Protein backbone atom coordinates (compact mmCIF):
# COMPACT_ATOMS: atom_id res chain seq x y z
CA UNK A 1 0.00 0.00 0.00
CA UNK A 2 1.21 3.49 -0.85
CA UNK A 3 0.42 6.23 1.68
CA UNK A 4 -0.48 9.34 -0.33
CA UNK A 5 0.43 11.55 2.64
CA UNK A 6 4.04 10.36 2.92
CA UNK A 7 5.01 8.55 -0.30
CA UNK A 8 7.93 9.83 -2.34
CA UNK A 9 7.43 11.07 -5.89
CA UNK A 10 9.09 7.86 -7.12
CA UNK A 11 6.62 5.70 -5.16
CA UNK A 12 3.65 7.67 -6.50
CA UNK A 13 4.90 7.57 -10.09
CA UNK A 14 5.10 3.76 -9.87
CA UNK A 15 1.29 3.62 -9.55
CA UNK A 16 -0.61 2.83 -12.76
CA UNK A 17 -1.73 6.04 -14.45
CA UNK A 18 0.29 8.36 -12.19
CA UNK A 19 3.07 10.20 -13.96
CA UNK A 20 5.34 13.04 -12.89
CA UNK A 21 2.62 15.69 -13.14
CA UNK A 22 0.01 13.81 -11.08
CA UNK A 23 2.55 12.70 -8.49
CA UNK A 24 3.62 16.32 -7.98
CA UNK A 25 -0.03 17.43 -7.69
CA UNK A 26 -0.62 14.72 -5.06
CA UNK A 27 2.42 15.91 -3.08
CA UNK A 28 1.41 19.58 -3.38
CA UNK A 29 -2.12 18.82 -2.15
CA UNK A 30 -1.09 17.11 1.09
CA UNK A 31 -2.31 16.28 3.67
CA UNK A 32 -5.38 14.22 2.82
CA UNK A 33 -7.91 13.01 5.40
CA UNK A 34 -9.25 10.37 3.00
CA UNK A 35 -7.89 8.89 -0.21
CA UNK A 36 -11.01 9.88 -2.18
CA UNK A 37 -10.01 13.53 -1.65
CA UNK A 38 -7.70 13.02 -4.64
CA UNK A 39 -10.83 13.21 -6.81
CA UNK A 40 -12.80 15.66 -4.64
CA UNK A 41 -9.92 18.16 -4.75
CA UNK A 42 -9.53 17.55 -8.51
CA UNK A 43 -5.96 16.27 -8.09
CA UNK A 44 -6.57 13.27 -10.36
CA UNK A 45 -9.57 12.22 -12.52
CA UNK A 46 -12.04 9.58 -11.32
CA UNK A 47 -10.86 7.07 -13.94
CA UNK A 48 -7.27 7.28 -12.67
CA UNK A 49 -8.43 7.02 -9.04
CA UNK A 50 -10.40 3.88 -9.90
CA UNK A 51 -7.18 2.26 -11.19
CA UNK A 52 -5.16 2.98 -8.03
CA UNK A 53 -7.71 3.12 -5.18
CA UNK A 54 -6.93 -0.43 -4.03
CA UNK A 55 -3.20 0.36 -3.81
CA UNK A 56 -3.33 3.60 -1.80
CA UNK A 57 -4.13 4.71 1.74
CA UNK A 58 -4.26 8.10 3.45
CA UNK A 59 -2.69 7.54 6.85
CA UNK A 60 -3.19 10.27 9.40
CA UNK A 61 -0.25 11.79 11.20
CA UNK A 62 -0.16 10.97 14.89
CA UNK A 63 -1.55 13.75 17.05
CA UNK A 64 0.99 15.32 19.36
Amino acid sequence: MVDINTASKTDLTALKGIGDAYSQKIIDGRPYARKDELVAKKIIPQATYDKIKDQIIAKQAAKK
Side-chain angles (χ1 to χ4, degrees):
M1 296 296 269
V2 176
D3 181 359
I4 57 174
N5 283 323
T6 61
S8 69
K9 190 167 185 173
T10 305
D11 291 339
L12 292 169
T13 307
L15 294 167
K16 188 170 183 69
I18 303 294
D20 282 340
Y22 282 151
S23 61
Q24 191 59 53
K25 283 176 76 174
I26 292 169
I27 290 167
D28 292 344
R30 289 175 178 167
Y32 302 97
R34 298 180 327 275
K35 64 184 182 179
D36 62 0
E37 286 184 3
L38 290 177
V39 175
K41 292 182 173 184
K42 299 189 176 10
I43 307 289
I44 61 173
Q46 183 69 51
T48 303
Y49 175 76
D50 289 342
K51 288 183 202 167
I52 66 167
K53 66 183 178 187
D54 295 332
Q55 302 165 49
I56 60 172
I57 56 173
K59 231 186 210 168
Q60 302 308 302
K63 300 240 190 280
K64 295 187 169 135

